[in-house]
Amino acid sequence: IMDGNGRWAGARHLPRIAGHRAGIAAVREVVEGAARLGIEVLTLYAFSDENWGRPREEVSFLMNMLGGYLRSEIATMKANGIRFRTIGRTERLPKTAHRWVEKAVSETTGNRGMVLNLALSYGGRGEILEAVKRLREAPDSRGDLTEEQFSEHLDTAGLPDPDLIVRTSGEKRI
């Protein structure tokens, strides 16, 4: 969970965006390290539903930074066999950021290496609500619901459950 960039910058008397820039540099190191270690799926919680309540300038900066990151990393992901996916309500993203997300997903969909899963406009409660909506629409939604059936309707369907969760700010809440 990418968290604490603003506090990191504040502790150094820097603007919040400096913390976000430092965070994006750390993302590359984490992705490369995870791939070297043979980690099959890495999910980075990059932008939560709650983040939409931040100042407009900061949100705009983050969305531009997302587009720039994807623009600069698609070729690297392709070269290293990394498959890019997202969880969350990416349709809420500004058009340009959304287009880069779709491009990264489509251009890496055939890759068979590590899955890099980015949580964007994501909230756990929102994911559960969307899964319930999908379940209601499913033709096989009658009868007793199992965990496996429910799991098939989550954003992470087809991916293993997390083995380890790290919150970069050091906070202990999820």
Side-chain angles (χ1 to χ4, degrees):
I1 301 172
M2 297 165 28
D3 185 31
N5 292 338
R7 290 186 293 274
W8 178 90
R12 289 160 178 75
H13 307 290
L14 298 169
R16 288 179 64 82
I17 62 170
H20 296 309
R21 284 191 181 113
I24 203 76
V27 165
R28 185 167 236 249
E29 290 180 45
V30 168
V31 171
E32 289 175 357
R36 272 194 309 275
L37 291 170
I39 291 174
E40 294 176 15
V41 179
L42 174 64
T43 300
L44 300 174
Y45 290 79
F47 191 85
S48 74
D49 279 338
E50 296 156 354
N51 290 154
W52 291 112
R54 291 180 178 207
R56 185 180 312 192
E57 299 80 24
E58 185 176 2
V59 171
S60 179
F61 174 82
L62 290 168
M63 292 297 121
N64 287 333
M65 191 171 72
L66 169 64
Y69 172 78
L70 292 174
R71 182 174 48 249
S72 68
E73 295 297 322
I74 288 173
T76 302
M77 287 188 277
K78 288 168 64 173
N80 290 292
I82 295 172
R83 183 167 50 126
F84 181 77
R85 286 184 44 162
T86 63
I87 60 174
R89 311 290 74 84
T90 58
E91 68 277 359
R92 292 186 66 194
L93 301 177
K95 287 180 184 175
T96 301
H98 190 256
R99 277 194 295 264
W100 280 109
V101 165
E102 287 181 330
K103 184 174 177 63
V105 168
S106 69
E107 290 200 19
T108 63
T109 196
N111 291 348
R112 297 290 171 238
M114 182 179 78
V115 174
L116 174 58
N117 203 21
L118 205 58
L120 297 167
S121 192
Y122 176 84
R125 292 178 182 179
E127 180 180 15
I128 291 168
L129 181 60
E130 291 298 318
V132 169
K133 289 177 184 177
R134 288 190 285 266
L135 268 166
R136 283 186 188 159
E137 297 168 0
D140 61 343
S141 64
R142 304 206 191 292
D144 292 336
L145 178 65
T146 66
E147 282 187 41
E148 292 77 21
Q149 289 169 323
F150 185 74
S151 180
E152 291 170 8
H153 295 279
L154 292 171
D155 291 352
T156 53
L159 298 177
D161 291 338
D163 288 323
L164 175 68
I165 297 174
V166 176
R167 188 175 189 117
T168 60
S169 67
E171 290 189 31
K172 305 287 188 255
R173 64 184 170 87
I174 297 181

